[in-house]
Amino acid sequence: GGGVGVDAAAKSPPDGYTIVLGQTSNLSINPTLYKKLPYDPQKDLVPIVLVADSALTLVVPAQSPFKTLKDFVAESKKKPGDITLGSPGNGTVAHLTIQALQGAADVKFQHVPYKGASQAISDLMGSSIDSYMSSVTTAIGHIKGGKLRALAVTGKKRVGSLPDVPTVGESGFPGFDSVTWFGLLAPAGTPAPIIERLNAEVNKILALPEVKEKIASEGGAAIGGTPQEFTRFLAAELPKWAKLVKESGAKID
């Protein structure tokens, strides 16, 4: 899940020549999911910039009777634990987003963890599972090709590459927001002028129209900002995901 790379960066010389693109799992979920991590994301790394985030999407086969998230939730309430909802694995952002959706909708799904997305998507298209919580990148080709139907996206805003798909919030669960995000970090002790220089250059790149468009085409949104803003963001994300990990009962060691 990227933890090896984060650990390697954390243990590298703090000279600005080794940085890491961390994300939700290895920076905010793993500290609770694993009993012991070889790195501490808050002590061993210094944030540079929050690069982008991306919503997930709840998808069903094209032939599914479920046309909307409201349909899906209503049927799940009639048959608690019967509707199968796949994820790429225990403790992933998708799994914990399912946990958050269960809480928001006061419903119970049958979670089916896979080892990655490829087998899950194959099973979904073959109707072996009822639904799947997917990254937009993984599902978008199948959605646009008519093989899958997207019921909702999980962020606060609609996704530019899926403009007709409503958010979970628009579908009856206001305030719902569960996205995966990506940010650059350096080893703790990296001098502030280096952090500021890297931050400034990445912000310039993220402002380029072609970069924004490329990230949007993958289902994401460019963010940017200051190192201080990214630091505050990380501090807020840890308890949010820790709560969902504990509620889900997921453990990996």
Side-chain angles (χ1 to χ4, degrees):
V4 173
V6 173
D7 185 43
K11 291 176 171 59
S12 294
D15 54 14
Y17 287 99
T18 301
I19 59 177
V20 64
L21 185 72
Q23 38 86 297
T24 319
S25 291
N26 46 52
L27 296 177
S28 292
I29 294 174
N30 286 1
T32 307
L33 189 64
Y34 290 82
K35 282 184 183 175
K36 191 173 181 183
L37 275 184
Y39 60 89
D40 183 325
Q42 289 190 298
K43 292 180 181 176
D44 298 340
L45 296 159
V46 57
I48 299 169
V49 64
L50 185 58
V51 173
D53 66 16
S54 179
L56 305 178
T57 181
L58 177 61
V59 289
V60 295
Q63 65 272 22
S64 169
F66 304 123
K67 308 292 186 195
T68 67
L69 181 59
K70 284 184 179 178
D71 295 342
F72 184 75
V73 168
E75 188 65 17
S76 299
K77 286 193 172 183
K78 287 181 196 170
K79 303 173 182 175
D82 277 10
I83 303 290
T84 50
L85 179 43
S87 81
N90 280 317
T92 58
V93 173
H95 173 207
L96 300 179
T97 298
I98 291 168
Q99 184 68 35
L101 182 59
Q102 288 186 142
D106 190 23
V107 71
K108 178 70 177 171
F109 308 115
Q110 184 182 332
H111 174 230
V112 183
Y114 282 81
K115 291 182 179 178
S118 55
Q119 186 60 51
I121 292 288
S122 175
D123 282 2
L124 180 66
M125 290 195 290
S127 296
S128 297
I129 55 173
D130 298 312
S131 57
Y132 181 64
M133 189 67 77
S134 177
S135 71
V136 172
T137 310
T138 297
I140 194 164
H142 302 297
I143 295 167
K144 295 199 168 178
K147 293 181 179 177
L148 296 178
R149 179 186 302 129
L151 301 184
V153 293
T154 63
K156 287 181 181 175
K157 297 178 181 177
R158 293 195 182 198
V159 172
S161 51
L162 295 172
D164 298 329
V165 180
T167 65
V168 173
E170 289 174 317
S171 304
F173 308 100
F176 191 90
D177 183 30
S178 184
V179 299
T180 187
W181 45 260
F182 310 86
L184 289 169
L185 304 96
T190 301
I194 293 176
I195 299 296
E196 294 295 338
R197 173 70 190 277
L198 288 167
N199 174 271
E201 296 299 331
V202 174
N203 273 302
K204 285 179 196 171
I205 293 164
L206 291 173
L208 295 171
E210 61 267 34
V211 173
K212 286 184 173 182
E213 286 164 18
K214 178 62 178 172
I215 292 173
S217 74
E218 299 284 339
I223 301 176
T226 68
Q228 294 76 20
E229 287 169 335
F230 189 19
T231 300
R232 289 192 292 271
F233 176 82
L234 282 172
E237 285 287 288
L238 273 164
K240 167 186 161 181
W241 292 101
K243 178 176 180 286
L244 291 170
V245 171
K246 286 169 183 170
E247 287 174 358
S248 74
K251 283 188 176 66
I252 299 176
D253 289 299

